Amino acid sequence: MENVQVIKQRFEIIGNDPKLNRAIEKAIQVAPTDISVLVTGESGVGKESIPKIIHSLSHRKHGKYIAVNCGAIPEGTIDSELFGHEKGSFTGATSTREGYFEVADGGTIFLDEVGELPLTTQVRLLRVLENGEFIKVGSSQVQKTNVRIVAATNVNMFDAIEKGKFREDLYYRLSTVDITLPPLRERKDDIHLLFRKFASDFAHKYKMPPIRLDEQAAQFLPKFRWNGNIRQLRNVAEQISVLETNREVTLQTLQSYLPTENNNLPSVIKDQKSDADFSTEREILYKVLFDMKNDLNDLKKLTLELMQNGTANVRENSQHLIKKIYGSADQSEDVAFDEEEIEPKFVNANQKSFENRQDDYLFAETIEEEEILRLEQKEIEMIKKALEKNKGKRKAAADELGISERTLYRKIKQFDL
């Protein structure tokens, strides 16, 4: 079995971080077997190196090695790419096509960004992992394949499973062995080594002297977060190599090629509302409804005044109601009551009809008051039950009632509980 240093030289892997070494050791140990491997880590940490190591040290090394970026293939064609299709199976299928699983029979397939696979494709992939069988798109014939699968992803698979975006059974099939590569910010001692390697490579590529960091720049390099990991570090090294005429790179020059810390990526805001937000919205809604109810009661009272006393008396005696319903005093002066229209309807009506209407309004107000009392009684009962159930603990009672603790405290004080 080859050791870690030999493998790192062979695949040009730079660094001596213990976590990196452990990941390479695991790859060397599982390579001779046919175990499925899942490589995890942030984007840009170099996950593509692990499947190459596994394939080159396995008994399949003379077979084909195919790397597939699952996130780059459109959802409508990924089944055809992986499993092939029959002629005429869909629009544009002018001939029969072999998929990657058929072409790589006896070799290794590396599924990069496997977390991006559609659920329908995940079902097909699960069948390949379980019994080595697949069916071409548009065919009914089951075919066999002997392929080793190494997958990689930078997403949190448990979150994806919880959200229903990835099948749990497929995850456990893929991750028989899980190899995790550390982010660059956890490999601080390796950052300057990598930068020097990239600077040397680009100097050779572009036929120019290599760039070199001064002392301050070299000290700053590992302090930067490097959200893009090795890929970001490589891009920065290439930009400086090509654009800078002075091959001695100062701290100021280096910082000019780096994004501002904590401002280099858009912020991610979860579209979720807290319980406190819902409680506040509920309280506002209740207030609006109660205000509307009070306005309606005031309007009923004004209408009853008009029926009983006529327009002139209402203007004199019920200014507060007019002002409350129609706004300020200036606005209320603009409110016109046409006596000629009102009098025939109410004043000139026969006494019996008026009394009947008056009784209807009084009856409606009585029912409304009873409903309010009944609602209050129900509310008191619910609060009492919640407090008893939670042994007087207000926070727990408020959570059960779906209101804030402050609202519950106010209700207890209001109803003298």
Side-chain angles (χ1 to χ4, degrees), residues 151-259:
T153 183
N154 61 1
V155 302
N156 187 318
M157 296 302 280
F158 293 107
D159 284 350
I161 290 167
E162 191 175 341
K163 292 174 183 175
K165 293 181 179 179
F166 202 84
R167 292 179 62 96
E168 189 173 8
D169 48 1
L170 177 58
Y171 167 74
Y172 287 114
R173 280 283 182 180
L174 287 171
S175 63
T176 308
V177 172
D178 193 344
I179 298 176
T180 303
L181 286 173
L184 194 56
R185 61 181 171 275
E186 294 179 10
R187 298 170 52 193
K188 294 186 183 294
D189 293 338
D190 294 344
I191 294 175
H192 196 196
L193 286 173
L194 283 162
F195 187 90
R196 287 166 55 190
K197 170 67 167 62
F198 294 142
S200 175
D201 289 346
F202 293 127
H204 179 73
K205 180 179 179 181
Y206 299 117
K207 296 179 174 58
M208 56 178 64
I211 56 172
R212 192 178 70 82
L213 299 177
D214 68 12
E215 189 177 344
Q216 284 185 312
Q219 288 175 355
F220 175 78
L221 203 65
K223 294 176 183 176
F224 189 72
R225 185 171 175 79
W226 299 109
N227 289 318
N229 294 295
I230 297 171
R231 189 180 292 126
Q232 184 184 12
L233 181 66
R234 186 179 186 278
N235 288 346
V236 170
E238 185 169 18
Q239 287 180 60
I240 297 173
S241 296
V242 172
L243 299 177
E244 290 299 319
T245 53
N246 186 358
R247 310 317 283 175
E248 182 82 12
V249 180
T250 64
L251 175 60
Q252 187 177 359
T253 302
L254 175 63
Q255 288 178 326
S256 68
Y257 287 90
L258 298 175

Side-chain angles (χ1 to χ4, degrees), residues 224-228 232 258-267:
F224 189 72
R225 185 171 175 79
W226 299 109
N227 289 318
Q232 184 184 12
L258 298 175
T260 306
E261 285 277 29
N262 302 323
N263 195 30
N264 56 333
L265 290 174
S267 60

Side-chain angles (χ1 to χ4, degrees), residues 102-117:
E102 190 172 356
V103 173
D105 189 21
T108 305
I109 287 185
F110 170 44
L111 298 177
D112 197 9
E113 303 303 339
V114 73
E116 304 296 328
L117 282 176

Side-chain angles (χ1 to χ4, degrees), residues 1 23 91 108 130 150 175 179 222 244 254 269 301 380 399:
M1 185 183 291
T91 305
T108 305
E130 285 179 341
V150 180
S175 63
I179 298 176
E244 290 299 319
L254 175 63
I269 301 172
K301 288 176 185 177
I380 290 167
D399 290 342

